[in-house]
Amino acid sequence: MGTNTTHRANAVLLMLVRNSELEGALSSVMQLEERFNRRFGYPWVFLNDVPFTDDFMQKMSGAIAGPVSYGLIPREHWFQPDWIDEERAAANRAQMVADNVVYGGDYRNMCRFNSGFFYRHPLVRNYKWYWRVEPSVNFLCDTDHDPFLFMEENDKVYGFTITPYEWPLTVPTLWGAVKGEATTCLVDAQCCSTAGRVTEFTTTYPQYIAPNNAMDFLTDDGGETYNMCHFWSNFEIANMDFWRGEAYSKFFEHLESKGGFYYERWGDAPVHSIGAALFARKDQIHFFDDIGYQHPPFMHCPRHQTVRKERNCSCSPFGSFDYNGYSCLRKWELVARI
């Protein structure tokens, strides 16, 4: 099928990737090109904290028929800020490793970059929409419609496929920074000592909270505590102007000032999820049930047999994470219906 160039959104396919991840990156890109982008010809942007090698760029460009750009992340957007107390941060990393927290000793620069900086990069600054793609993921169904145009035409801002629980040890004071309620101190006693005694974001900036928002997806007790539900951000189709907007910008600045990306391990998934749930209407968040996707160990397969047949899906709903005990999809469906 030829490329559809009659009407496209102002959108980009975006991957943050290391040179060493070339094989997995090629696998993801070739699948998405075959399953979706050969029909539409959207550009790709690849970002790295070090320069891409000639080998990476040559092999990647050879796998993509359309426009491709390679960018270096500015140092100030990637590395730990100088004002972070490294002794305190190192002690907390060591504790997470001792507690067997997944990526407990790593991952922080990437989480901070994806939370507050990727949409500012010069190579994506002029785009409105992005589809986040990671190395070594699988696209399990043909996508013969344009999800960017669907989002734009239906006033959506954020789309997801998988929604698990976050590991509580990575975000013990995140909800306190959002709501200001007392927070259970799981890692950092120094940081927790004042939790709940200060006015936090939603109290300081009530004007940013959207009417008919999805707060109830994030909490089971009216906002007292965070239930750890989040949209898994390794797959996102979303509006970068939403992240660039005043509400989310103020929110990220507030979180950044807390140091939780380094003193704990605040992930971009809960940060994006809280931002989307609070600053967008819940009807502006979309579950892409028709896009088959796998990021090991979790997989989403379209639930309806007709969709799976029409989209030539190579998956079974019996292996889907949707209604696994660790999935928050039931919670989302309940909140979305109300």
Side-chain angles (χ1 to χ4, degrees), residues 299-318:
M299 181 267 289
H300 165 71
C301 190
R303 290 173 289 184
H304 300 291
Q305 182 178 4
T306 301
V307 173
R308 295 195 301 274
K309 184 176 181 180
E310 290 176 348
R311 302 293 170 84
N312 190 30
C313 295
S314 59
C315 60
S316 165
F318 296 107

Side-chain angles (χ1 to χ4, degrees), residues 242-285:
F242 180 75
W243 306 134
R244 295 167 182 144
E246 183 176 332
Y248 187 81
S249 295
K250 290 284 189 182
F251 179 61
F252 177 73
E253 289 171 7
H254 177 75
L255 297 185
E256 173 85 330
S257 73
K258 300 295 180 181
F261 293 105
Y262 293 97
Y263 297 139
E264 297 175 5
R265 204 217 69 196
W266 293 354
D268 52 276
V271 171
H272 280 188
S273 300
I274 293 170
L278 295 184
F279 310 136
R281 303 186 313 271
K282 61 187 177 183
D283 63 280
Q284 292 180 297
I285 301 172

Side-chain angles (χ1 to χ4, degrees), residues 77-119:
H77 290 178
W78 186 259
F79 290 103
Q80 179 174 301
D82 292 340
W83 56 267
I84 293 290
D85 181 344
E86 172 55 20
E87 183 176 350
R88 174 180 165 192
N92 288 334
R93 290 196 301 271
Q95 184 61 55
M96 285 194 184
V97 171
D99 291 336
N100 295 314
V101 175
V102 177
Y103 302 115
D106 200 357
Y107 213 51
R108 288 161 176 77
N109 291 337
M110 187 181 78
C111 289
R112 175 174 171 262
F113 174 76
N114 281 329
S115 293
F117 294 103
F118 79 90
Y119 48 85

Side-chain angles (χ1 to χ4, degrees), residues 24-331:
L26 278 171
S27 175
S28 298
V29 167
M30 292 171 69
Q31 288 182 62
L32 193 56
E33 284 288 299
E34 175 65 22
R35 290 289 200 175
F36 163 71
N37 202 43
R38 67 186 177 91
R39 300 170 176 85
F40 298 96
Y42 280 105
W44 283 89
V45 167
F46 297 89
L47 300 179
N48 196 346
D49 65 304
V50 300
F52 282 105
T53 64
D54 289 341
D55 182 60
F56 186 101
M57 292 187 288
Q58 289 170 3
K59 290 180 178 176
M60 188 59 71
S61 295
I64 299 171
V68 188
S69 300
Y70 303 92
L72 180 65
I73 297 169
R75 181 178 179 84
E76 64 272 19
H77 290 178
W78 186 259
F79 290 103
Q80 179 174 301
D82 292 340
W83 56 267
I84 293 290
D85 181 344
E86 172 55 20
E87 183 176 350
R88 174 180 165 192
N92 288 334
R93 290 196 301 271
Q95 184 61 55
M96 285 194 184
V97 171
D99 291 336
N100 295 314
V101 175
V102 177
Y103 302 115
D106 200 357
Y107 213 51
R108 288 161 176 77
N109 291 337
M110 187 181 78
C111 289
R112 175 174 171 262
F113 174 76
N114 281 329
S115 293
F117 294 103
F118 79 90
Y119 48 85
R120 310 183 199 188
H121 194 280
L123 288 181
V124 301
R125 192 176 292 153
N126 292 327
Y127 292 107
K128 178 178 180 180
W129 300 95
Y130 71 100
W131 183 333
R132 176 171 161 182
V133 184
E134 293 208 347
S136 302
V137 300
N138 296 304
F139 295 96
L140 307 172
C141 304
D142 293 344
T143 299
D144 54 8
H145 69 291
D146 189 331
F148 297 121
L149 290 179
F150 169 83
M151 297 282 283
E152 191 161 71
E153 292 168 357
N154 291 277
D155 192 26
K156 308 293 185 181
V157 298
Y158 190 88
F160 71 96
T161 56
I162 294 174
T163 174
Y165 289 98
E166 181 61 295
W167 192 298
L169 288 173
T170 66
V171 291
T173 67
L174 176 58
W175 194 247
V178 177
K179 291 284 290 178
E181 282 81 9
T183 306
T184 302
C185 300
L186 300 177
V187 177
D188 191 341
Q190 179 181 351
C191 182
C192 287
S193 62
T194 58
R197 301 177 186 175
V198 293
T199 300
E200 293 294 0
F201 190 83
T202 57
T203 304
T204 306
Y205 300 104
Q207 69 271 27
Y208 294 141
I209 308 305
N212 199 28
N213 60 64
M215 167 79 81
D216 288 343
F217 173 65
L218 306 172
T219 177
D220 299 327
D221 52 18
E224 290 295 316
T225 60
Y226 177 33
N227 62 16
M228 302 294 151
C229 284
H230 66 281
F231 308 120
W232 218 22
S233 60
N234 50 71
F235 174 104
E236 293 180 322
I237 299 176
N239 186 338
M240 284 186 280
D241 286 347
F242 180 75
W243 306 134
R244 295 167 182 144
E246 183 176 332
Y248 187 81
S249 295
K250 290 284 189 182
F251 179 61
F252 177 73
E253 289 171 7
H254 177 75
L255 297 185
E256 173 85 330
S257 73
K258 300 295 180 181
F261 293 105
Y262 293 97
Y263 297 139
E264 297 175 5
R265 204 217 69 196
W266 293 354
D268 52 276
V271 171
H272 280 188
S273 300
I274 293 170
L278 295 184
F279 310 136
R281 303 186 313 271
K282 61 187 177 183
D283 63 280
Q284 292 180 297
I285 301 172
H286 181 68
F287 170 45
F288 276 104
D289 185 27
D290 61 335
I291 297 181
Y293 173 74
Q294 181 184 39
H295 182 299
F298 301 146
M299 181 267 289
H300 165 71
C301 190
R303 290 173 289 184
H304 300 291
Q305 182 178 4
T306 301
V307 173
R308 295 195 301 274
K309 184 176 181 180
E310 290 176 348
R311 302 293 170 84
N312 190 30
C313 295
S314 59
C315 60
S316 165
F318 296 107
S320 194
F321 183 70
D322 292 0
Y323 299 115
N324 182 292
Y326 294 99
S327 171
C328 291
L329 187 60
R330 286 189 180 88
K331 176 75 169 175

